[in-house]
Amino acid sequence: MPVEDANLKLPVYGSGAASTPVLRSSRPRPVQLALAAVFTVVVVQYLRLYVHLLDFAGGNSASVPLRAQEFLDKCHLLTVKPGPPPDFHTRTHSDRFVPGTPPTLITNATIWTGRANGLEVVHGDILLHGGIIRRVGHLQQSMLDEYAELTRVDAQGRWVSPGIVDLHSHIGVDSSPELRGAEDDNSLKGPIQPWLRALDGLNTHDDSYATSIAGGTSLVLPGSANAIGGQGIVIKLRRPTDKSPTGMLLENPYETNRSLYDPMVSFRYRQMKHACGENPDTDRIYGFTRMDTAWSFRQAYEKARQIKQAQDEFCARAVQGEWAGLGEFPEDLQWEALVDVLRGRVKVQNHCYETIDLDDMVRLTNEFKFSIAAFHHAHETYLVPDTLKAAYGHPPAIALFATNARYKREAYRGSEFAPRILAQNGLQVVMKSDHPVLNSRFLLYEAQQAYYYGLPHNLALAAVTSTPARVMGQDHRIGYISEGYDADVVLWDSHPLALGATPQQVWIDGIQQIEKPYTVTKPHAFQKLPKTPNFDKEAEETLKYDGLPPLEPKRAKAETVVFTNVSNVYLRQGRSIDEAYAASDPLSAGVVVVRGGKVECVGSATSACASSVQGMEDDFEFVNLEGGAVSPGLVTVGSPLGLGEISSETTTIDGYVLDAFSEGIPEIAGHGMLVHAADGLQFGTRDALYAYRSGVTTGIVAPQTNGFLAGLNVAFSTASRHKLDQGAVVQETGGLHVSIHHRGKPSVSTQIAALRRILLDPTTGELKYWIDKIKGGDVPLVVGVESADAIASLISLKAEVEDKMNRTIRVTLIGATEAHFLAKELGHAGIGVIVSPTRPFPEVWEKRRIMPGPPLSETNAISALLAHNVTVGVGIVEAWMARNTRFDIAWAALESDGRIKKADAIALATVNVEKLLGIKTDALQGDLVATRGGDLLGFSEVVSVISPRRGLVDMF
C-alpha cells in the first residue's frame, strides 16, 4: 500500500505497466500458428483462382507471382503493432532462465514495486522461479509447498526494488579498460547510418559488467558522433551460459526455453540512436554546421518515407489481388530500420542538448510523422517544455545527468533543478549514466541527487527503474516488482534514495549475482526516506535567469552573526579535525557567535556564549540552523577547477603545459622554467561558485599537462572575484607536480628516469630552486600516477634518493587507483595518497585493478590505506564534481563500517589535502561552513560560509 501521497503523476504514453496479467487465448500457441499458416495459404489460393477467373472473363494476362505468399506475409508484418504478445504474463520461464536454478523466496522485505505512480510499498515476500517474479505479498506456506528446493533470504525489513534500468549506456561497445581493439561505439563512415547495430560490436569482456551488476538492465547505444548512429540493444548484465553477446539480450531473437518469438503476433520494439548539436556538427568529425546535420536528417527520412510509401501502395494492391505491374516487394536492408521508425516500431533515443537543436528535431518529427522516445543529455529541455510538447505523437521523455554540466558549451546551462522542473511540467524524467562517462554502477546516485534537489521521491526512484523501462517499451517485463515480470531484483542495505545505498544482493533471471557480498552496518535512520531542503527559490531563480542564475553570495547584514540550534561544531586543531561541540539532545542545541568573520565563542543554549547575545536581536543577525552544524570548509583538488570555464572550449581555459618530452620548449622560456598555476587562475567560474555554495571554499590546482612536468600548484578561494581580492589566493605555491602514466611514448621507465635525474643531478633555473626545496623537505613532490607497478617504482626511487642524500623527502601520489596494493609499503615509506576519484572505475589499463568497495570488496581503498597509517586525502577529476565533495567523503565513511568517523571524513577533504599538497592553513584562517537541517555529510543545505581570511560571513 502507498506510504506517501502522490506528489506528481507519471505521464503515460502507450502501454503502461500491467499489474494484472492479460488472459491467454483459449487456443494453445502451436494451434494459433497452424491456423495462421492455413489462413495464409487459403488467401493465396483464393487470389490465384480470382485472377484466373478475371483472365478467363476479360482476357487479362496478369498472374499471381510465385512469391505471392511471401509478399503477403511481409505486408501482414507491416501491420503488426509493437509490444508483448497477449499471453506474455502467463509464461512459466523467462527467455534467459537457466535450467536447474532453484526458486528463491525473499521474506520480510519492504518492497518498492514501482506501481501506483511509484508510491506503492508492500511489506511482505517475493517468490522468484523460472527467472520470473511469481508472487509478491504475504505468502502462505500452502503457496510454497510445490517447491521442494527453496532458497530463503530474510531481508530483515530492508528495501527491495526492481533492478536499475539505464536508458543510456555504452557498456560493452565503449569498453573498460579502454583499449583501441575494443572501441566500437562510433563509426566515422558517415553521418547517417541507421543500418549499424550495437549488437555487432558488443564486447563480452568489458570489466564494467562485474561492477555495474546492480544496474542489471542497460540500453546500449551507439555513440553520438553521427546524426543517426545506428541501432541500440537492451541487455542484462549477467554473463549468459553461452557467453555470447546474443545471449545477453533481454529479448533474444532465437527461440529459447520454450519462449517463442512470433512477429506475426507481436513485434518487438527496437531502439535507434540519433544525435544533434556539437558532436556531429563540429569539425572534430565531419565539419558540419547545424544546417548540414538538419539536412542529413531530412534527406534520410525522406528516403525512408519513400520506401514506406512504396510498401504501403504495394500492399494495398497486393491484398486486393492487383498483381499486374507490381513487381518485387519494395525494401532496402540499409533503410528498413528507419522505415520502421516511421511505422512507430523503433524507439528513437536522441542525444540533444540545446534549444536550437531540440526545436530542429521537434520540427523534423512533425514533418515526417514519427515520435522521439527520449531526448538524452538535454541540458536545456527544462527551459522549453512547451517546445517538447509540440513533438509529433507525444512529448519525449528527458534523460539527464543530475549535476554533470558545463563540460561543453551546449551543456553550459545545465541545472540540478532540471528534473523537478520537467516533472512539474508533466514530462517523464529519466536519470542515466552515459557509461563510461559516469560509472553505471552508481546510477542510483543520480536519482538520489535529483531527489535532493527537489524531484519527488516517487519519480526519483522511478527515473532509474519504471520510467526508463516504459520509455524503451519494456515496461511489460522490467522496471517493476510485479507478478509475471522478469525484472532484476535488488536488496538494498538502506532506503534506495539514502546517500550511499548499496546492494546486499542482486538477482538477475532469478540467479544471485554477488557470490560473497560484503555488507556494512548503517544507522537505522538510513532505512527511512531522507529529508531534503526546500530549493523552490533557487529553482525559480534558475528559470528567471534562463538557466544562468547569479551564484555570487550575499554578505551578512550585520558585523556579528549568531548561529542558533546548532547540533555539532567541528573545528581545525593543527593538522586534524576535532568535534568542538555536540548537542546531547535538541534542548541543548548550541550557539556559535561570529564577529568580523571569526568565531568568537561556541556553547550550549544556556552557556555564557549564548547569554552574551541575548537581547541583541536588533544589532546582530541570527541564523537558525534547525539542528545543523558548523564545519571546516572543504578543499578540492585533481580537476582544472580555477583554470577555465568550459573544458572543451580552448578560448575559455588556461590551456596545457608544453611537454619537454614531445615538444620543443621555446628559447624565450629558458632552461629550468617552471609553470605557476597561479598565473593562469580564472575566478568567478560557475563550477567554482557552485562548489562554494556546496561548502567547498578552497581549490588547489596545478598546471594542466598531458606530459611529464606540470609545475607548481596554487590554493585559491572559490568565492573571490579576481586574484587581487583579499584572501583570493590562499597560497601562491605549494607542491611541484609531475605525472607518470602509460602513454606509449615516452615509456614509464623513461619518465621515472627523468624524475631520478631531476632529483639527483644538478638542474638549472627556477626548477633548481624548487627541487632544492623538495630535497630539503620544505615542499612535497606530487606525482600523478595510477598503476601499482609505477607506484612500486616510485617507492623504490624515494628510498634511493633519500639514501643518497641522507635526508627525507615528501612525496604525495594523486589519482593512485591501484595504491591499495601497496598500502603497507606506502605507509612504511611515508608517502601520502590523494585518492581521486573516491569511487574507482577501471577506465584504462593502468586503473584496471580497483578495490571496488562493498558489496564487491570488504572495504574501499581509502580505508585500506588508512589502516596502514597512510595520510589520505580525496580529489576529483572534472571541475563539475567539486560541488559533490561532501557527498564523496560521506560515502567513503559509510563504506568504512564505522572506521572513518565524521571528523576523519572531513579531514579527508581539508587538512589532509592541505598537508599532502604543501598548503599551510591554520584554525585562524580556515573557512567554516554552516549547514541547516543536518551536518555537512548529509542531505543538509549549506546556508553560510564564515571566512576569517577574508573577514566576512557570506549568506546563501
Side-chain angles (χ1 to χ4, degrees):
M1 60 180 292
V3 294
E4 302 266 356
D5 291 335
N7 294 308
L8 288 171
K9 291 186 176 180
L10 282 164
V12 177
Y13 306 109
S15 61
S19 58
T20 303
V22 179
L23 292 178
R24 181 192 287 268
S25 168
S26 59
R27 297 188 181 93
R29 174 66 67 82
V31 175
Q32 292 178 345
L33 295 176
L35 289 174
V38 170
F39 175 75
T40 303
V41 172
V42 169
V43 169
V44 172
Q45 295 302 322
Y46 168 78
L47 290 172
R48 287 179 181 274
L49 177 61
Y50 177 75
V51 173
H52 175 73
L53 291 174
L54 287 177
D55 290 345
F56 181 79
N60 198 333
S61 60
S63 62
V64 176
L66 293 176
R67 297 173 63 194
Q69 183 173 341
E70 176 188 342
F71 295 158
L72 288 172
D73 285 345
K74 289 184 177 182
C75 288
H76 173 69
L77 279 173
L78 299 183
T79 67
V80 179
K81 300 299 182 184
D87 59 352
F88 183 81
H89 290 109
T90 65
R91 300 175 303 159
T92 58
H93 297 81
S94 72
D95 309 59
R96 291 164 39 90
F97 168 66
V98 177
T101 302
T104 297
L105 179 66
I106 306 170
T107 63
N108 190 25
T110 303
I111 308 164
W112 186 87
T113 68
R115 298 181 303 205
N117 195 35
L119 290 164
E120 181 182 67
V121 175
V122 174
H123 299 278
D125 314 319
I126 303 172
L127 176 63
L128 307 176
H129 182 50
I132 291 175
I133 300 170
R134 303 299 286 271
R135 293 184 181 275
V136 181
H138 294 283
L139 306 187
Q140 303 300 319
Q141 183 58 44
S142 59
M143 301 176 181
L144 307 173
D145 288 341
E146 64 180 286
Y147 305 103
E149 298 181 13
L150 187 62
T151 301
R152 294 176 180 267
V153 177
D154 185 358
Q156 299 179 332
R158 293 187 177 87
W159 287 84
V160 172
S161 80
I164 303 302
V165 180
D166 192 349
L167 190 65
H168 187 139
S169 174
H170 303 293
I171 194 168
V173 293
D174 189 356
S175 300
S176 303
E178 181 181 306
L179 296 168
R180 284 187 299 173
E183 292 180 357
D184 287 296
D185 55 331
N186 282 304
S187 168
L188 303 182
K189 302 301 183 184
I192 303 294
Q193 300 187 81
W195 46 85
L196 300 183
R197 303 182 302 181
L199 178 60
D200 297 324
L202 188 68
N203 176 14
T204 57
H205 302 298
D206 190 326
D207 284 0
S208 300
Y209 294 135
T211 57
S212 295
I213 209 75
T217 306
S218 293
L219 172 57
V220 179
L221 295 168
S224 53
N226 309 307
I228 301 180
Q231 300 166 46
I233 49 173
V234 183
I235 66 169
K236 287 200 170 192
L237 301 186
R238 179 183 67 80
R239 185 176 176 86
T241 53
D242 66 2
K243 302 180 183 179
S244 72
T246 302
M248 298 185 71
L249 295 177
L250 175 65
E251 294 187 327
N252 195 306
Y254 307 116
E255 299 175 16
T256 58
N257 297 316
R258 298 179 297 282
S259 177
L260 180 65
Y261 174 43
D262 179 11
M264 287 289 191
V265 175
S266 64
F267 201 86
R268 289 175 172 173
Y269 273 115
R270 289 185 289 174
Q271 317 288 326
M272 185 175 290
K273 179 70 175 291
H274 285 16
C276 49
E278 290 184 29
N279 280 28
D281 290 342
T282 65
D283 58 5
R284 287 175 293 172
I285 301 167
Y286 299 113
F288 275 19
T289 66
R290 282 178 165 81
M291 294 181 289
D292 294 312
T293 301
W295 171 244
S296 295
F297 273 121
R298 295 182 68 211
Q299 193 175 38
Y301 271 102
E302 176 59 17
K303 173 72 173 179
R305 187 196 65 77
Q306 291 174 2
I307 295 173
K308 177 180 179 293
Q309 181 177 330
Q311 289 176 346
D312 292 344
E313 291 174 353
F314 178 98
C315 291
R317 294 180 60 189
V319 297
Q320 296 296 323
E322 299 174 6
W323 296 104
L326 271 185
E328 296 291 311
F329 180 80
E331 58 187 340
D332 188 325
L333 185 61
Q334 278 195 303
W335 297 97
E336 60 84 22
L338 201 62
V339 174
D340 258 6
V341 170
L342 299 180
R343 295 194 183 281
R345 304 199 296 190
V346 177
K347 298 280 190 175
V348 173
Q349 310 293 345
N350 196 167
H351 162 120
C352 206
Y353 285 76
E354 277 191 284
T355 300
I356 181 175
D357 302 310
L358 297 166
D359 187 60
D360 282 349
M361 294 307 299
V362 166
R363 283 188 280 106
L364 187 73
T365 68
N366 285 290
E367 180 178 1
F368 291 97
K369 311 302 181 194
F370 71 95
S371 294
I372 292 174
F375 281 127
H376 293 239
H377 302 308
H379 282 61
E380 291 191 11
T381 49
Y382 71 100
L383 297 172
V384 289
D386 290 338
T387 295
L388 308 181
K389 293 176 183 180
Y392 181 80
H394 59 75
I398 312 300
L400 301 162
F401 295 130
T403 52
N404 184 0
R406 293 168 296 284
Y407 46 87
K408 54 183 177 177
R409 190 194 66 84
E410 61 188 2
Y412 193 62
R413 295 173 190 265
S415 172
E416 65 272 36
F417 304 116
R420 61 173 284 169
I421 294 170
L422 289 163
Q424 288 166 348
N425 280 276
L427 295 163
Q428 297 183 98
V429 174
V430 173
M431 309 308 296
K432 49 91 173 116
S433 73
D434 195 14
H435 182 99
V437 173
L438 298 183
N439 185 353
S440 62
R441 176 187 176 192
F442 302 115
L443 177 53
L444 184 62
Y445 180 42
E446 297 300 290
Q448 293 164 359
Q449 293 175 81
Y451 166 66
Y452 172 73
Y453 288 111
L455 183 66
H457 67 91
N458 55 318
L459 302 188
L461 197 45
V464 291
T465 52
S466 53
T467 306
R470 179 184 307 111
V471 171
M472 65 172 68
Q474 299 296 333
D475 56 327
H476 59 284
R477 64 187 307 170
I478 62 173
Y480 296 83
I481 300 289
S482 192
E483 294 176 7
Y485 280 55
D486 53 355
D488 306 331
V489 176
V490 185
L491 171 61
W492 301 97
D493 67 356
S494 49
H495 191 290
L497 292 179
L499 180 66
T502 300
Q504 290 192 322
Q505 190 52 265
V506 179
W507 290 265
I508 300 180
D509 307 318
I511 303 171
Q512 284 192 176
Q513 296 302 299
I514 307 175
E515 184 176 350
K516 185 182 178 182
Y518 295 93
T519 60
V520 298
T521 302
K522 293 183 178 179
H524 182 70
F526 276 68
Q527 296 298 326
K528 299 179 180 179
L529 182 70
K531 293 182 179 179
T532 58
N534 185 323
F535 289 112
D536 289 352
K537 178 183 176 182
E538 288 83 353
E540 291 171 3
E541 288 277 294
T542 299
L543 289 176
K544 177 181 177 181
Y545 289 94
D546 201 28
L548 298 175
L551 300 176
E552 294 78 8
K554 296 179 181 179
R555 301 288 170 84
K557 299 174 183 176
E559 175 74 6
T560 300
V561 180
V562 181
F563 296 94
T564 63
N565 284 323
V566 181
S567 291
N568 302 88
V569 177
Y570 297 91
L571 298 175
R572 294 168 177 262
Q573 294 294 333
R575 287 294 190 181
S576 64
I577 302 295
D578 289 347
E579 187 174 38
Y581 177 81
S584 56
D585 57 68
L587 296 178
S588 62
V591 171
V592 177
V593 178
V594 178
R595 182 171 285 113
K598 298 180 180 179
V599 174
E600 193 166 84
C601 65
V602 176
S604 69
T606 58
S607 65
C609 181
S611 300
S612 68
V613 296
Q614 289 180 356
M616 301 290 187
E617 287 79 3
D618 293 338
D619 301 322
F620 301 161
E621 184 170 354
F622 285 76
V623 180
N624 184 355
L625 295 187
E626 301 174 13
V630 174
S631 314
L634 303 180
V635 181
T636 183
V637 68
S639 79
L641 185 75
L643 290 180
E645 184 75 281
I646 304 173
S647 60
S648 65
E649 295 287 346
T650 56
T651 60
T652 73
I653 64 175
D654 177 52
Y656 287 81
V657 173
L658 293 173
D659 180 24
F661 277 119
S662 59
E663 302 169 281
I665 302 298
E667 185 176 342
I668 192 172
H671 296 291
M673 177 196 73
L674 270 185
V675 176
H676 293 238
D679 295 332
L681 281 176
Q682 295 183 31
F683 288 88
T685 68
R686 297 193 72 79
D687 279 321
L689 291 171
Y690 275 120
Y692 188 69
R693 297 174 74 92
S694 301
V696 180
T697 62
T698 302
I700 303 176
V701 66
Q704 298 301 289
T705 181
N706 289 321
F708 168 70
L709 180 61
L712 297 164
N713 67 32
V714 62
F716 64 97
S717 166
T718 54
S720 295
R721 297 170 300 165
H722 54 75
K723 187 176 180 178
L724 301 182
D725 260 351
Q726 179 182 344
V729 177
V730 177
Q731 188 170 313
E732 187 87 17
T733 52
L736 174 63
H737 288 243
V738 300
S739 67
I740 308 291
H741 292 297
H742 290 75
R743 303 183 180 95
K745 276 189 177 182
S747 66
V748 169
S749 50
T750 301
Q751 296 169 57
I752 292 177
L755 184 57
R756 177 183 290 108
R757 179 186 175 281
I758 288 173
L759 291 172
L760 294 177
D761 294 347
T763 53
T764 60
E766 191 178 13
L767 179 60
K768 178 182 185 305
Y769 174 82
W770 287 99
I771 291 297
D772 287 346
K773 280 188 167 292
I774 290 172
K775 292 177 179 179
D778 298 321
V779 301
L781 174 68
V782 184
V783 185
V785 64
E786 304 290 353
S787 163
D789 300 304
I791 291 171
S793 294
L794 289 168
I795 294 173
S796 298
L797 177 60
K798 181 176 186 287
E800 177 187 345
V801 171
E802 290 175 340
D803 182 62
K804 291 183 177 180
M805 295 193 311
N806 197 27
R807 67 184 70 165
T808 301
I809 63 172
R810 296 161 58 189
V811 175
T812 295
L813 309 181
I814 186 167
T817 298
E818 297 186 355
H820 58 91
F821 275 102
L822 296 152
K824 180 180 178 180
E825 291 80 3
L826 288 167
H828 287 161
I831 296 177
V833 175
I834 295 177
V835 178
S836 175
T838 55
R839 294 180 295 283
F841 176 67
E843 177 185 5
V844 294
W845 191 258
E846 63 181 358
K847 297 181 181 181
R848 71 190 187 282
R849 296 176 291 185
I850 66 172
M851 180 175 279
L856 302 177
S857 64
E858 185 174 1
T859 188
N860 56 30
I862 293 171
S863 294
L865 291 164
L866 289 172
H868 288 87
N869 298 315
V870 178
T871 300
V872 179
V874 299
I876 59 173
V877 179
E878 298 181 54
W880 63 267
M881 298 174 175
R883 68 187 302 175
N884 295 326
T885 299
R886 64 191 186 113
F887 296 146
D888 291 340
I889 58 177
W891 202 324
L894 287 169
E895 287 188 334
S896 75
D897 205 11
R899 289 184 289 272
I900 299 178
K901 308 299 182 185
K902 286 189 176 181
D904 301 325
I906 295 171
L908 292 173
T910 53
V911 292
N912 289 11
V913 173
E914 293 167 345
K915 175 184 177 181
L916 292 170
L917 296 177
I919 305 301
K920 299 173 183 178
T921 302
D922 58 25
L924 297 178
Q925 293 208 344
D927 294 332
L928 294 169
V929 174
T931 54
R932 178 179 288 133
D935 60 42
L936 191 60
L937 305 188
F939 279 174
S940 59
E941 180 184 9
V942 175
V943 296
S944 179
V945 171
I946 303 159
S947 183
R949 184 186 305 112
R950 295 183 293 138
L952 54 83
V953 176
D954 278 333
M955 311 296 287
F956 304 118

